[in-house]
């Protein structure tokens, strides 16, 4: 398994397939993609997991984190989050957060993230803001 920085364009096929298969590829873009850090996990030469991180001062937001369904449950996403947390700590980031789908809350809790505020919805999908201090 190899985790590396990739381009925003390289994230789009997995964002589309995993997060919004019923939307257009354009829907899967983030307006700030050009300013983000984009990471990919390669397994046997294939891109199987992507994540985008947007740093603003001492805060970093995880967005569009997705693993191909056939590779989920194998620790690939966990390795990605650990890699990102290490990189952000080295950059002096003090707060890491994301809007997490409610179904993924347990995953994020394993890294020390905790829900903040009330459940909210994007379309019909329930989310929680989850965050953690890095320092």
């Amino acid at each position: 398994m190899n985790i590396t920085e990739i381009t925003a364009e390289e994230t789009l096929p997995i964002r589309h397939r995993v997060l919004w298969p019923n939307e257009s590829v354009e829907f899967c873009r983030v307006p700030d993609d050009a300013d983000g850090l984009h990471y990919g996990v390669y397994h046997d030469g294939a891109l199987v997991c992507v994540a985008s991180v947007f740093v603003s001062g001492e805060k970093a937001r995880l967005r569009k984190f997705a693993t191909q369904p056939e590779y989920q449950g194998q620790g690939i996403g966990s390795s990605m989050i650990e890699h990102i947390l290490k990189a952000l700590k080295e950059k002096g980031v003090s707060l890491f957060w994301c809007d997490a789908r409610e179904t993924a809350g347990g995953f994020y809790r394993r890294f020390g993230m905790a829900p903040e505020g009330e459940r909210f919805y994007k379309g019909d999908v329930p989310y929680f803001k989850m965050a953690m201090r890095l320092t």
Side-chain angles (χ1 to χ4, degrees):
M1 182 171 25
N2 178 31
I3 301 173
T4 187
E5 285 195 35
I6 61 174
T7 68
E9 288 297 311
E10 289 172 296
T11 70
L12 292 175
I14 293 177
R15 284 181 184 178
H16 183 245
R17 178 177 182 218
V18 176
L19 300 174
W20 297 285
N22 298 322
E23 299 288 348
S24 69
V25 171
E26 286 304 310
F27 181 87
C28 301
R29 292 183 191 279
V30 175
D32 299 337
D33 264 341
D35 302 320
L37 300 170
H38 307 282
Y39 296 94
V41 176
Y42 285 88
H43 181 75
D44 292 334
L47 185 61
V48 300
C49 177
V50 297
S52 298
V53 179
F54 299 86
V55 179
S56 177
E58 294 182 0
K59 298 177 182 178
R61 180 181 182 187
L62 174 69
R63 298 192 72 187
K64 313 304 180 225
F65 175 42
T67 303
Q68 297 277 24
E70 58 271 27
Y71 291 93
Q72 292 176 8
Q74 299 176 30
I76 292 169
S78 294
S79 293
M80 171 75 88
I81 294 295
E82 289 166 0
H83 179 89
I84 290 169
L85 291 173
K86 182 175 183 248
L88 293 175
K89 287 177 186 176
E90 290 171 359
K91 292 179 185 294
V93 170
S94 61
L95 181 74
F96 180 65
W97 70 281
C98 68
D99 289 341
R101 291 178 185 215
E102 186 172 25
T103 56
F107 173 82
Y108 291 108
R109 281 184 183 89
R110 291 198 321 247
F111 299 96
M113 297 181 81
E116 294 185 350
E118 300 296 318
R119 174 188 296 117
F120 63 95
Y121 290 82
K122 294 182 184 181
D124 60 354
V125 180
Y127 284 79
F128 281 95
K129 178 179 179 181
M130 297 193 74
M132 68 182 288
R133 292 245 160 240
L134 299 180
T135 53

